Amino acid sequence: MDLKGKKLGFALTGSHCTFLQVIEQLKNLAAIGVDLYPIVSLPVLNTDTRFGAAKEWVEQIEQIAGKPIVSTIAEAEKFGPQIQLDALIIAPMTGNTMSKLAHAITDSPVLMAAKATMRNGKPIVLAISTNDALGLNGKNLMQLVSTKNIYFVPFGQDNPIQKPNSLIAKLDLLSDTVRQALNGNQIQPLLITL
């Protein structure tokens, strides 16, 4: 499936260590003509880290997408009735966001965009990046894996010895995952070796 012209929400949450890889995927989607709608969580909007200043990340995201970021719940609500996305990508998706999505908590722009997309029956593509996916968040991961219209970018353990509960998505499979999701399919294999 050609992604050119598709309306894709691209939501980022606070796994700052993966931002460089995520930005590359955002650039790839823009280069093939995807109509991108950038959405960020409050930590992305407000938190400076050793991986970069929040303002610089936001400016870069807006420049690539060609649109201002959506950074409030009220702005994200428009993805239900006013702007119907073909799909929503959450990359990176933290354990915090995964937990809240699994429990239908809508307390951020990213989660409101997800709720609006789900209401429209459109696919949500998740690229996890969390240190506790195989710990307390394991039940949330499994709940989302079995939820209608939720699709995952294939993932694996990034450091099984020092961080045995950590999982991270293989981001270079993002576009292929979106293509499959738009056809109602989960890309396989889901569990991979990184």
Side-chain angles (χ1 to χ4, degrees):
M1 171 180 284
D2 188 3
L3 295 180
K4 183 178 181 179
K6 294 291 184 187
K7 290 183 181 180
L8 300 183
F10 200 113
L12 291 86
T13 66
S15 183
H16 295 82
C17 61
T18 63
F19 280 10
L20 282 176
Q21 294 172 302
V22 169
I23 292 295
E24 284 306 307
Q25 296 309 312
L26 193 61
K27 288 177 182 176
N28 291 343
L29 291 170
I32 62 172
V34 171
D35 186 10
L36 293 166
Y37 292 81
I39 306 148
V40 298
S41 66
L42 295 179
V44 176
L45 184 66
N46 297 317
T47 307
D48 295 334
T49 71
R50 63 187 169 106
F51 301 103
K55 182 180 178 184
E56 292 171 7
W57 287 118
V58 167
E59 288 172 356
Q60 191 172 1
I61 293 163
E62 289 179 332
Q63 181 180 18
I64 296 165
K67 291 183 184 71
I69 60 159
V70 171
S71 61
T72 68
I73 291 173
E75 291 172 336
E77 192 172 14
K78 69 184 176 188
F79 295 118
Q82 294 174 327
I83 300 172
Q84 293 200 10
L85 300 172
D86 292 304
L88 172 69
I89 299 163
I90 303 177
M93 184 183 69
T94 61
N96 184 48
T97 300
M98 180 167 60
S99 175
K100 290 178 179 183
L101 182 60
H103 290 90
I105 297 170
T106 309
D107 66 352
S108 76
V110 171
L111 292 163
M112 177 54 79
K115 178 181 176 182
T117 304
M118 291 174 87
R119 177 173 57 193
N120 291 333
K122 301 296 183 177
I124 298 175
V125 173
L126 306 176
I128 62 173
S129 178
T130 175
N131 288 326
D132 71 336
L134 297 176
L136 286 175
N137 238 327
K139 63 184 177 183
N140 299 317
L141 173 62
M142 289 301 106
Q143 183 173 333
L144 291 173
V145 164
S146 63
T147 299
K148 182 180 177 182
N149 292 330
I150 301 270
Y151 303 90
F152 280 84
V153 176
F155 54 81
Q157 290 179 281
D158 55 308
N159 188 345
I161 303 304
Q162 293 178 335
K163 301 189 306 181
N165 292 332
S166 181
L167 293 176
I168 190 165
K170 186 166 175 54
L171 287 169
D172 60 354
L173 295 174
L174 179 66
S175 293
D176 290 337
T177 304
V178 173
R179 286 185 188 93
Q180 290 289 327
L182 287 168
N183 286 320
N185 300 314
Q186 171 62 59
I187 193 171
Q188 295 294 338
L190 178 59
L191 302 175
I192 59 171
T193 302
L194 297 175

